[in-house]
Amino acid sequence: MSRGFFKMRAHRHPLAVVGLAMMLGSCQTLSSDTPLADPLANAPSITRGLDARGLSTLLVAELAGQRGDYQRASRGYLESAERYAAADLAERAALAARFDEDPALLERAARRWQQLAPDDTAPARLLADLAVQKGDWGEALTRHLDIIEHNGARDLVPFLESALEAGAPPAPLLAQLQDFPPSPRTRHDLALATALLEAANGLTASAQQRLSRLADEAPEQPGLWRIRAAVSLDASAPGRAETMARRGLEHTPGDPRLILLLAQAEIRQGNITAAEANTDALLEDHGDSPDLRLALAQLYLEEGHTGPARRLLLPLTDNDTTPSTVFLMLGAIAEEEGEVDNALLYYRQIPEGSNFLTARASAARMLFEQGRPSDARTFLRIERLRHPNDAPALFSLEVSLLDDSGARAQADALLNQAVESHPENAQLRYQRAMRTFRHGDIAAMERDLRILIDQDPENADAINALGYTLADNDIEGRLDEARELIERAHSLAPDNPAILDSMGWVRYRQGDPKAALPWLERAWSAMPDQEVAAHLIEVLWRLDQRDRARELLQQARQRFETHPRIDDLLERLPELAQ
């Protein structure tokens, strides 16, 4: 198959089609409601007696709310809620805080509201929404389970589908759900949610068995047949997926998500005529929107069917508001069909902004692969003149393509020219620093990084790169300097996993593997990268945690297609592989 744009994308997990399915099903998000003219108009009234201080605090809060000073209003209500242990006041504090830009205050008010009204599901819903906004899916699931415990099922499957679509790891959520005791009124919902997470976690057989039992017990359970179809697609059983989707349509005729899965199953089986009929029905019944056409076209492209995808996309090029993704996908299709000039036309129609650089990269790469490097370089030079704001990024792109083609001397010359033309551009100077390091010129790398740090003393990436290089190469007499640089980078970006790795590695280089371990474990948890794995394996080995080291080694070798740092580690510690 071609290496075009759509072939470079990761294969869409059937359960990840949830994003498109949710769009078709018009699912509500977990975000906040539309603001009201008076956000406190429907808040509960204050009925308890007050002393002078309490009355003063509440009056100030009420007046602040009327003036739009929602933070002061929220703090006043919260102070009163704390003083009188009144859930009504905590609710008013939360309502006011929702219209302020202080999420910490909103969370504090919502937690106090929940403490004062433990049987009220409203604060739990609010806390779940806040957790989603922070990406804390475990906390969000905890809040959903609180609601289920008090009030029965609360759309648990749609929530989990949203979490998976957003990239939440399924294993912790599955463990959390398995620990929750079902009740007679919630067991079917929990079984379906558990099967969804099992499938997402690769436990396909267990998920299918659970879904089969559920189909016998509750065949009309919402979402059951849709998830059965998705799991069957994931198990490379499109015929079974088609059967599941059709069974689902018997229970909910016209369900767009089931029609979508049916079309996907038919595409997988090569039954394109039937698939096109279903996708045409979706467009007719659910609005012929550009987003829907794009999503449907992507389904065809992922299975290598360019003709139906092109037919879906071409009508979108007839107006002045064509999404840039349309031209990007049409360019990829033309490239797949060997229509190089047509592909160039499509790629060049994408204006500055979203997909601009992706399109130029696709066009230039295509010309290099066609044996036309001179045309590719001319194309990029013209694009730099046409789009001066994007010139540094286009320089960077051309350097990378020259490197990939083995033209190192030309890449060196071009990058030097680019840095001289744009001396303040951090991307170009950083790229040159990393290239000189790869070629063994650490002094040149350090010069460029020092300039970057002088230009921007808060450039955590540059500071960390310099500190890590000094530590990793164990340059004599400079480990203390390396640690100082890395700790400075950490103070600027405390959650950056690359910096966490550096924090651990410099301690190991200084002879303190025990202090290095927690930093490297945090880095691995946040960024499972082969270099971080190599560092963590080596530290575990030095700490005589041999079983853990070997277990991680096996995991890393299976996970990463290439792992040069791990290969280097095995050369130095061959007993690791025994």
Side-chain angles (χ1 to χ4, degrees), residues 20 23-24 282-284 286-296 312-313 316 323 326:
L20 174 56
M23 175 180 71
L24 290 167
L282 281 172
L283 289 168
E284 183 177 348
H286 297 279
D288 192 347
S289 69
D291 286 343
L292 182 53
R293 280 186 173 268
L294 278 166
L296 293 172
L312 283 163
L313 295 171
L316 298 177
V326 171

Side-chain angles (χ1 to χ4, degrees), residues 149-163:
E149 189 171 11
H150 286 93
N151 206 36
R154 189 228 173 192
D155 298 330
L156 186 57
V157 167
F159 159 71
L160 291 173
E161 287 176 326
S162 298

Side-chain angles (χ1 to χ4, degrees), residues 12-276:
R12 186 190 298 262
H13 191 295
L15 290 170
V17 180
V18 165
L20 174 56
M22 290 175 67
M23 175 180 71
L24 290 167
S26 300
C27 294
Q28 292 182 345
T29 66
L30 297 171
S31 59
S32 62
D33 302 325
T34 302
L36 302 173
D38 180 1
L40 303 179
N42 297 319
S45 58
I46 302 165
T47 57
R48 300 184 63 178
L50 305 170
D51 59 14
R53 178 183 168 188
L55 179 60
S56 172
T57 301
L58 283 174
L59 284 174
V60 169
E62 288 283 344
L63 291 171
Q66 292 176 19
R67 294 196 306 269
D69 186 353
Y70 298 121
Q71 181 170 110
R72 188 172 185 183
S74 179
R75 292 185 183 280
Y77 289 131
L78 190 55
E79 179 184 335
S80 298
E82 298 282 0
R83 187 176 187 195
Y84 295 107
D88 293 349
L89 294 174
E91 180 179 359
R92 291 179 74 86
L95 288 170
R98 290 190 71 169
F99 294 87
D100 188 67
E101 297 181 359
D102 188 345
L105 177 61
L106 175 56
E107 183 172 353
R108 181 183 162 201
R111 289 188 183 279
R112 187 58 177 147
W113 180 12
Q114 186 180 50
Q115 290 170 358
L116 294 170
D119 294 328
D120 189 344
T121 60
R125 292 191 184 97
L126 180 54
L127 287 167
D129 292 348
L130 288 171
V132 167
Q133 291 170 19
K134 293 189 297 184
D136 189 345
W137 297 103
E139 170 68 11
L141 178 56
T142 296
R143 298 304 169 189
H144 278 269
L145 294 177
D146 287 344
I147 295 168
I148 289 173
E149 189 171 11
H150 286 93
N151 206 36
R154 189 228 173 192
D155 298 330
L156 186 57
V157 167
F159 159 71
L160 291 173
E161 287 176 326
S162 298
L164 293 172
E165 175 70 10
L173 298 178
L174 177 60
Q176 195 174 343
L177 197 60
Q178 288 173 331
D179 289 339
F180 186 78
S183 67
R185 64 175 178 168
T186 64
R187 64 188 183 91
H188 291 152
D189 299 289
L190 291 170
L192 186 58
T194 301
L196 173 70
L197 291 176
E198 287 176 332
N201 205 41
L203 305 173
T204 306
S206 177
Q208 288 178 326
Q209 291 173 5
R210 193 180 302 276
L211 291 168
S212 180
R213 291 194 300 269
L214 188 56
D216 292 336
E217 297 175 8
E220 297 185 1
Q221 177 73 19
L224 169 63
W225 300 101
R226 173 169 50 82
I227 292 175
R228 293 195 78 183
V231 171
S232 296
L233 280 174
D234 185 39
S236 300
R240 180 174 175 79
E242 180 182 351
T243 300
M244 297 297 104
R246 292 190 186 280
R247 285 287 305 277
L249 287 168
E250 292 174 6
H251 292 280
T252 53
D255 186 326
R257 294 166 292 181
L258 286 166
I259 296 173
L260 175 67
L261 284 163
L262 178 59
Q264 193 176 8
E266 289 166 337
I267 293 170
R268 290 272 182 94
Q269 297 175 89
N271 191 356
I272 303 304
T273 301
E276 287 192 278

Side-chain angles (χ1 to χ4, degrees), residues 506-554:
V506 72
R507 283 161 173 75
Y508 176 69
R509 286 299 200 199
Q510 290 179 316
D512 193 352
K514 187 175 181 180
L517 182 61
W519 292 104
L520 295 175
E521 287 178 326
R522 284 180 61 194
W524 171 251
S525 176
M527 183 179 69
D529 165 90
Q530 64 95 23
E531 186 168 358
V532 178
H535 292 162
L536 182 53
I537 292 166
E538 183 168 350
V539 168
L540 289 169
W541 188 261
R542 296 301 184 194
L543 290 171
D544 289 327
Q545 297 187 32
R546 304 294 170 90
D547 290 341
R548 280 192 65 195
R550 288 192 171 109
E551 181 182 347
L552 181 56
L553 172 66
Q554 182 180 6

